[in-house]
Amino acid sequence: MTKPERVVLIGVAGDSGCGKSTFLRRLIDLFGEELMTVICLDDYHSLDRKQRKETGITALDPRANNFDLMYEQIKALKEGQAIDKPIYNHETGNIDPPERIEPNHILVVEGLHPLYDERVRELIDFSVYFDISDEVKIAWKIQRDMAERGHRYEDVLAQINSRKPDFTKYIEPQREFADVVLQVLPTNLIKDDKERKVLRVRMLQREGKEGFDPVYLFDEGSSIQWTPCGRKLTCSYPGMQLYYGSDVYYGRYVSVLEVDGQFDNLEEVIYIETHLSKTSTKYKGEMTHLLLQHREYPGSNNGTGLFQVLTGLKMRAAYERLTSKEAKLAAKV
Ligand SMILES: Nc1ncnc2c1ncn2[C@@H]1O[C@H](COP(=O)(O)OP(=O)(O)OP(=O)(O)O)[C@@H](O)[C@H]1O
Ligand SMILES: O=C(CO)[C@H](O)[C@H](O)COP(=O)(O)O
């Protein structure tokens, strides 16, 4: 591992089971494993599973997390110093002996609380929040925990419901601080869709952040509704709709890109890509190429995959900007 001159800090926030790991795998395509170190913030749980059970404090509650240590260690890494990070063991529920982490070029902090503590927030160079609506979250969790972990439907639902109050209090408010929010909602294309297979996905991009140029469709600053189905894009029922426009989110301007529906043929995403601008790709077709590279990842055939790729491209652009020769010179002055 080469010693970084400038550590770029990326925050990936969201509840458990919201697609953070899938997104991180996409980030590796852009940065490579060598340059990137991921820290799961579960490692800063200060109460182990037994203590949380005894006190009735959930892992989402700030009282179950050591924010002082989180801040000190992330700051140290950003300043180029190695740390001894605790480990939360999800198998045993215990806090294991610490492990040594060396600073790396890109440091990703992912988990429940990357944007909760103001001091940590200040250190983060670019962030994303995964905002999955309850209906979709339930569908994903039920599908995973029942199929892969042998859980019963009622138990999965009860677990989601028991987390809800603390989720609303401590996790969701972090949306306000993210540079990109990925909202995943039920489709508008099917009335009362119970399956939650077809999704409406929105990418809210903060306006006015230095060095971050939001992606737009056709005409920057306009409001556009686009139904691309036809000769260039195959769309079976219920079709596909794109939207681009601006909005106010927590009192600040955001650019919104939306995809409702799913792609029948992933190769045809190139057609959408040619109508998007400021994607931060290095060559024509790179966005489509990145998506095709992992067509097996969940959400590759809808807006979740597409916007995860676009968010990754924006993170790469932020990294390149912050580590450019000019940026390094300016930091030294
Ligand atoms: N875009 C998607 N479309 C459909 N299902 C998805 C999508 N993203 C995630 N899922 C479902 O949610 C599960 C969890 O995804 P992932 O592991 O990426 O989330 P996570 O936030 O890292 O979760 P955890 O913190 O629990 O590890 C996947 O196994 C899959 O079943
Ligand atoms: O929300 C979570 C983040 O992954 C976990 O529930 C939290 O970390 C506690 O873990 P466990 O349930 O394994 O004790």
Side-chain angles (χ1 to χ4, degrees):
M1 194 190 287
T2 54
K3 201 169 162 40
E5 268 188 60
R6 163 72 154 95
V7 176
V8 174
L9 185 63
I10 286 174
V12 178
D15 200 1
S16 146
C18 281
K20 298 187 300 295
S21 309
T22 311
F23 175 67
L24 294 176
R25 286 190 287 167
R26 291 193 195 280
L27 267 195
I28 290 173
D29 289 346
L30 289 158
F31 291 127
E33 262 176 294
E34 269 289 291
L35 287 189
M36 182 174 131
T37 296
V38 178
I39 289 187
C40 174
L41 298 180
D42 295 351
D43 289 332
Y44 292 95
H45 289 335
S46 51
L47 302 182
D48 62 23
R49 193 178 291 153
K50 190 162 161 270
Q51 290 168 322
R52 291 197 308 270
K53 203 165 177 208
E54 280 163 5
T55 55
I57 297 174
T58 73
L60 301 98
D61 190 317
R63 288 176 296 169
N65 296 278
N66 189 342
F67 286 108
D68 287 341
L69 185 65
M70 188 192 291
Y71 165 65
E72 277 155 26
Q73 295 206 329
I74 292 173
K75 183 164 173 281
L77 282 171
K78 217 179 160 185
E79 287 168 355
Q81 296 149 26
I83 58 161
D84 291 315
K85 180 186 65 58
I87 300 175
Y88 178 73
N89 185 328
H90 279 282
E91 270 177 36
T92 60
N94 296 327
I95 295 161
D96 284 350
E99 61 174 340
R100 182 132 274 235
I101 303 281
E102 300 290 337
N104 203 347
H105 298 259
I106 298 132
L107 176 65
V108 181
V109 287
E110 66 93 7
L112 297 170
H113 301 100
L115 302 170
Y116 185 85
D117 186 287
E118 195 183 345
R119 298 166 299 173
V120 177
R121 235 166 30 226
E122 291 287 304
L123 296 173
I124 291 182
D125 295 299
F126 201 97
S127 59
V128 59
Y129 178 92
F130 285 82
D131 187 9
I132 315 297
S133 68
D134 282 351
E135 300 94 321
V136 176
K137 200 188 276 186
I138 291 167
W140 286 1
K141 200 139 183 96
I142 280 171
Q143 172 216 316
R144 179 183 71 174
D145 291 0
M146 284 177 68
E148 293 171 22
R149 301 184 179 177
H151 295 181
R152 290 183 322 150
Y153 176 87
E154 301 75 38
D155 298 337
V156 179
L157 207 58
Q159 200 218 9
I160 292 176
N161 287 336
S162 69
R163 287 169 74 97
K164 179 82 182 155
D166 280 354
F167 176 79
T168 309
K169 251 196 260 170
Y170 307 119
I171 311 303
E172 204 170 52
Q174 294 175 89
R175 308 188 283 202
E176 176 179 355
F177 306 109
D179 298 312
V180 169
V181 174
L182 297 182
Q183 292 181 328
V184 185
L185 304 151
T187 180
N188 277 344
L189 301 172
I190 305 171
K191 203 170 179 296
D192 224 1
D193 172 42
K194 288 275 177 296
E195 272 198 86
R196 312 284 180 224
K197 286 245 161 66
V198 184
L199 302 172
R200 180 162 74 101
V201 189
R202 288 160 66 82
M203 180 179 180
L204 312 189
Q205 309 168 82
R206 166 165 298 183
E207 287 287 350
K209 179 183 168 85
E210 201 194 333
F212 173 33
D213 294 324
V215 186
Y216 67 88
L217 179 66
F218 292 121
D219 183 29
E220 194 166 20
S222 291
S223 181
I224 286 154
Q225 193 102 38
W226 186 36
T227 307
C229 305
R231 260 184 300 165
K232 305 266 180 48
L233 198 80
T234 322
C235 299
S236 55
Y237 176 81
M240 164 161 287
Q241 259 193 4
L242 274 81
Y243 165 83
Y244 161 71
S246 56
D247 206 346
V248 175
Y249 189 70
Y250 288 98
R252 285 197 253 210
Y253 285 109
V254 288
S255 278
V256 183
L257 260 186
E258 178 179 314
V259 173
D260 194 351
Q262 49 195 31
F263 306 108
D264 279 6
N265 181 353
L266 265 197
E267 276 76 11
E268 292 173 354
V269 172
I270 186 76
Y271 180 61
I272 307 271
E273 180 173 353
T274 51
H275 292 84
L276 294 171
S277 299
K278 296 203 175 154
T279 51
S280 300
T281 46
K282 296 205 174 185
Y283 58 89
K284 187 168 170 275
E286 187 183 17
M287 185 194 89
T288 310
H289 175 79
L290 287 162
L291 198 64
L292 285 172
Q293 215 167 322
H294 297 291
R295 46 170 86 230
E296 75 286 4
Y297 287 0
S300 287
N301 68 338
N302 63 38
T304 56
L306 186 81
F307 291 155
Q308 284 188 5
V309 167
L310 280 177
T311 304
L313 286 166
K314 288 298 168 190
M315 288 177 173
R316 183 180 68 183
Y319 168 73
E320 289 181 350
R321 188 179 65 84
L322 292 167
T323 54
S324 69
K325 269 201 196 110
E326 301 79 55
K328 277 186 210 146
L329 275 175
K332 278 185 189 144
V333 176

